[in-house]
Amino acid sequence: MTSLILSPAEQDYIIRGVESGFRADGRGSLDRREVSLRTGMISQANGSARCRIGNLGVGTDVLVGVKAEVNSWTPGEPEDLGSIVCNVECSPSAAQEFEGRGAEEINVELTQLLDRILNGPQSGLDLKKLCIIPKQAYWVLHIDALVLDVKGSIVDTLVWATRAALMSTSLPRVVVETIGDEMGNMQAEFDVVDDPEDLTPLEGAENLPISVTFSQIGKRYVVDASEQEEAVTQAKLTVAVSPVMEICAIQKGGMFRGFPPSLLAEILETAQRIAREELTRFDVHYAQAKSHLSSQADEPSTGSTFLVQF
Amino acid sequence: MEIDEAPQKVDIAARIVTPGTAITNDPAFMRGHGTFSEHDTIYSSVAGVVERINKLVSVRPLKQRYSGEIGDIIVGRITEVASKRWRVDVNSRQDGVLLLSSINLPGGIQRRKSESDELQMRTFFAEGDLVFAEVQSYFADGALSLHTRSIQYGKLRNGTLVTAFPQLVPRSRSHFHTLSCGVDVVLGVNGYIWVSKHVPASKVEANAELIYSDKNEPISDDEREAIARVANCIQLLNRLYVKITDMSIIFAYEASLVHSVKELLTHDVAVELAQNVMARLEQQA
């Protein structure tokens, strides 16, 4: 999405390379760069994660924080559901065109995309569990994402970071009591336990989807386009796939070309395959990192901070 | 001056410092680049390594913008086409300038510049083109003035650009290297490095009319792989802070052959290769 200008010779080199199956950095067309994830680094947030997709420490970098707030119910809102509010902001230091108000459009686009992926039953989060007392109070999860650096594949990084942040989110325990008043009416009251050790993890976060973005370059498409590859991308398709291999969201971007419909079925199937592989690898690393952390029980924990590289 | 007497003098050399670190308060020392003094103490103003030459204390920064010198060989990207000149991004504080009078016009070096040349500047270089040039002089505001008045300079084709830290590309006799694997490397002192398919010099000279062509030569799969491998080697040398010279690239290339091209940019393989290269460089020195 950055406006890197390439010479016609460079563009031709990349396009012909992709069409022969050779990307400029030697990756196959369905290979992703290294993904590194760290969670729990923002101690004041209920959950946080930072994801970087790229090589050797340089890549697209997104930081996500999750903050939970109790909201009072107002008539018109769903009676027994909590809610999720997303906000994505691209830092002006991420790319030159984000200076000043340059990032407004892309902020809105990414916020709406994230919202579409997370809000709704397909996201896997059970919003009913976020309700404290029906028609009275519910949890609102504010998900704030900050894009720190852009080197291609901004959506995939954003979704990975959000998923990891929600998986590391834990909410304070809430105690609900039903009290009867003089007239015999039953009133429910709740109390948020103010103990930083007494937390319940957010349920259903492991059902969240991840996204795979396909970029059409010449006559073929590649996964995880680098900055140079994005400069010659004509159309993009982002597919969000859940761990149960359901398609949660699809978004087509790129103003230069459309996708032939026959390609669509193939892309959806490939997206499912890639998502399955990545989620399996992630689960293995995540479990390893978590068990490693809990074995260091003697260290004071500022939350679980660990690095998953896969 | 006895170095043994005052311990702080021995400590000075080869320390890594951050801005604000006190280096010494010995009044015998003069302060050089990268330092400032407050009261009687010399502090570092940049993040880098302390260097001491006799009585001069300076700090060499780890990361620095490229500042051009006359005679530097650089690779730049055209950002703007202006009246009788092009503005060129040279990875420095300011864009460089390439004057129309500083380029080779197709049809022989001796051809006079005509008015139609002025109006057709984009047929030579357009926005986004990569140019291999030499620094000729400075403008009054410090901007570099470039020229491509030699057959080896000009528009770059048949390859890909790698961006490295400028201080990792040392100035040397030659900046254009042909590696044994059939890959040409242009090491721009400003950190822009062009990796391309080897085109014999005879072919370049024979086609004097085509020096501003945008068309690539046909590139085979093996050549693409070699280019990708060299580009990845340079990238990993850059990220792991190893000096980028023809020798270090060749060492990295040879050591990289046991891995697949895409593996070269994964963390563990990259660290192993960089250490390998540094060991061989030290051996050689």
Side-chain angles (χ1 to χ4, degrees):
Chain A
M1 283 172 184
T2 47
S3 58
L4 183 71
I5 306 175
L6 296 182
S7 68
E10 280 175 290
Q11 292 182 14
D12 177 71
Y13 179 82
I14 295 177
I15 295 174
R16 282 188 203 267
V18 168
E19 289 182 345
S20 332
F22 270 97
R23 296 168 80 170
D25 55 5
R27 282 186 285 155
S29 44
L30 301 179
D31 286 332
R32 218 193 256 294
R33 293 167 286 178
E34 278 188 316
V35 182
S36 66
L37 264 173
R38 193 174 215 132
T39 64
M41 73 284 287
I42 305 178
S43 49
Q44 311 94 305
N46 295 90
S48 58
R50 180 172 175 178
C51 179
R52 179 168 56 221
I53 294 187
N55 293 311
L56 297 177
V58 172
T60 304
D61 204 336
V62 179
L63 178 65
V64 176
V66 180
K67 201 99 173 78
E69 242 179 34
V70 179
N71 253 20
S72 303
W73 178 81
T74 51
E77 289 177 351
E79 300 181 352
D80 58 349
L81 296 179
S83 83
I84 300 180
V85 176
C86 304
N87 184 42
V88 181
E89 202 182 298
C90 291
S91 161
S93 62
Q96 192 164 24
E97 60 268 21
F98 294 162
E99 251 184 293
R101 295 176 59 181
E104 273 184 10
E105 243 185 70
I106 188 176
N107 285 347
V108 170
E109 189 187 323
L110 292 174
T111 303
Q112 289 180 341
L113 177 58
L114 197 61
D115 197 60
R116 203 171 331 124
I117 294 178
L118 294 180
N119 261 316
Q122 76 281 359
S123 74
L125 287 177
D126 192 354
L127 293 181
K128 282 206 169 67
K129 297 255 168 59
L130 291 177
C131 175
I132 302 174
I133 301 171
K135 297 221 292 195
Q136 200 170 326
Y138 58 91
W139 283 115
V140 153
L141 292 180
H142 290 279
I143 301 176
D144 292 294
L146 181 63
V147 177
L148 298 165
D149 202 358
V150 180
K151 298 266 185 285
S153 264
I154 190 173
V155 178
D156 293 353
T157 319
L158 174 63
V159 176
W160 261 121
T162 308
R163 182 173 192 268
L166 286 166
M167 280 179 79
S168 76
T169 300
S170 36
L171 303 173
R173 194 161 57 87
V174 177
V175 174
V176 179
E177 290 176 329
T178 348
I179 308 172
D181 64 8
E182 310 85 46
M183 296 193 274
N185 294 329
M186 302 303 278
Q187 264 255 321
E189 278 189 9
F190 70 94
D191 194 28
V192 177
V193 176
D194 198 17
D195 185 358
E197 306 285 315
D198 196 358
L199 303 168
T200 49
L202 180 67
E203 278 183 56
E206 59 281 352
N207 299 329
L208 285 164
I210 63 163
S211 79
V212 185
T213 301
F214 296 84
S215 307
Q216 180 163 30
I217 296 176
K219 298 191 198 73
R220 295 181 62 153
Y221 55 85
V222 299
V223 169
D224 186 20
S226 66
E227 241 190 325
Q228 288 89 340
E229 287 169 340
E230 276 196 352
V232 296
T233 296
Q234 298 181 304
K236 270 200 281 232
L237 197 69
T238 301
V239 182
V241 183
S242 71
V244 295
M245 295 299 119
E246 282 185 345
I247 310 281
C248 297
I250 305 179
Q251 168 145 315
K252 179 201 171 283
M255 296 178 296
F256 300 106
R257 280 180 67 164
F259 263 105
S262 51
L263 204 51
L264 196 61
E266 192 190 324
I267 286 183
L268 291 181
E269 202 196 295
T270 312
Q272 285 175 312
R273 200 163 24 102
I274 294 177
R276 184 181 307 126
E277 276 171 27
E278 289 191 354
L279 283 166
T280 317
R281 284 209 306 270
F282 169 83
D283 287 337
V284 166
H285 280 90
Y286 189 83
Q288 263 178 13
K290 260 205 142 150
S291 67
H292 174 73
L293 204 77
S294 51
S295 68
Q296 295 173 332
D298 48 345
E299 284 180 19
S301 61
T302 51
S304 51
T305 303
F306 57 87
L307 186 67
V308 176
Q309 212 161 2
F310 54 96
Chain B
M1 186 199 314
E2 310 285 10
I3 297 184
D4 312 309
E5 279 174 34
Q8 71 225 45
K9 291 172 194 172
V10 181
D11 277 341
I12 282 178
R15 258 175 64 199
I16 294 185
V17 292
T18 48
T21 312
I23 301 175
T24 180
N25 50 15
D26 188 331
F29 284 109
M30 288 189 300
R31 52 172 209 82
H33 288 299
T35 62
F36 66 96
S37 71
E38 214 165 286
H39 310 304
D40 290 323
T41 316
I42 298 180
Y43 295 91
S44 166
S45 62
V46 292
V49 176
V50 180
E51 287 181 333
R52 185 183 76 81
I53 302 174
N54 297 330
K55 284 192 198 169
L56 183 68
V57 172
S58 59
V59 181
R60 182 166 44 92
L62 288 175
K63 235 175 129 171
Q64 225 180 355
R65 275 279 184 193
Y66 166 67
S67 359
E69 313 245 330
I70 295 180
D72 276 353
I73 312 282
I74 58 152
V75 172
R77 195 185 285 280
I78 307 286
T79 56
E80 194 189 312
V81 180
S83 156
K84 288 200 273 201
R85 66 184 59 191
W86 291 271
R87 289 221 149 261
V88 185
D89 164 32
V90 294
N91 204 20
S92 176
R93 289 184 196 89
Q94 270 189 354
D95 280 351
V97 174
L98 179 62
L99 295 172
L100 179 58
S101 50
S102 304
I103 67 168
N104 277 343
L105 297 164
I109 296 176
Q110 305 306 326
R111 178 160 86 80
R112 280 191 78 97
K113 183 164 59 97
S114 66
E115 275 200 16
S116 63
D117 287 332
E118 258 181 69
L119 299 168
Q120 289 176 31
M121 284 181 66
R122 278 196 179 78
T123 59
F124 305 129
F125 294 113
E127 289 90 340
D129 283 341
L130 281 171
V131 56
F132 178 24
E134 185 179 331
V135 178
Q136 189 172 43
S137 64
Y138 299 110
F139 279 88
D141 59 357
L144 299 178
S145 178
L146 309 172
H147 78 90
T148 60
R149 277 201 167 285
S150 181
I151 195 63
Q152 77 255 28
Y153 299 140
K155 198 180 273 202
L156 292 170
R157 280 183 284 282
N158 307 318
T160 181
L161 187 73
V162 179
T163 307
F165 296 123
Q167 60 265 34
L168 293 180
V169 185
R171 291 180 171 92
S172 78
R173 259 181 315 105
S174 169
H175 286 265
F176 184 94
H177 302 285
T178 302
L179 304 181
S180 56
C181 44
V183 175
D184 282 345
V185 176
V186 175
L187 297 172
V189 184
N190 59 336
Y192 286 169
I193 297 174
W194 180 250
V195 183
S196 62
K197 164 190 159 122
H198 174 64
V199 174
S202 52
K203 194 164 185 192
V204 173
E205 282 160 21
N207 279 327
E209 293 292 328
L210 300 177
I211 54 177
Y212 294 111
S213 151
D214 288 322
K215 272 183 66 77
N216 285 339
E217 307 270 320
I219 305 179
S220 73
D221 285 353
D222 289 334
E223 287 166 335
R224 267 186 206 281
E225 192 180 327
I227 293 173
R229 189 176 282 279
V230 172
N232 281 0
C233 283
I234 298 176
Q235 190 61 267
L236 75 89
L237 288 175
N238 172 49
R239 296 300 318 167
L240 293 164
Y241 222 73
V242 179
K243 281 245 188 280
I244 300 171
T245 60
D246 56 338
M247 288 317 307
S248 64
I249 297 175
I250 292 173
F251 289 157
Y253 181 84
E254 289 171 0
S256 78
L257 289 170
V258 293
H259 301 282
S260 72
V261 178
K262 66 181 180 186
E263 277 185 325
L264 299 180
L265 294 178
T266 57
H267 185 260
D268 299 330
V269 172
V271 169
E272 178 203 319
L273 286 178
Q275 286 172 343
N276 191 316
V277 170
M278 280 169 60
R280 277 182 80 176
L281 286 174
E282 245 171 82
Q283 244 179 20
Q284 216 201 14

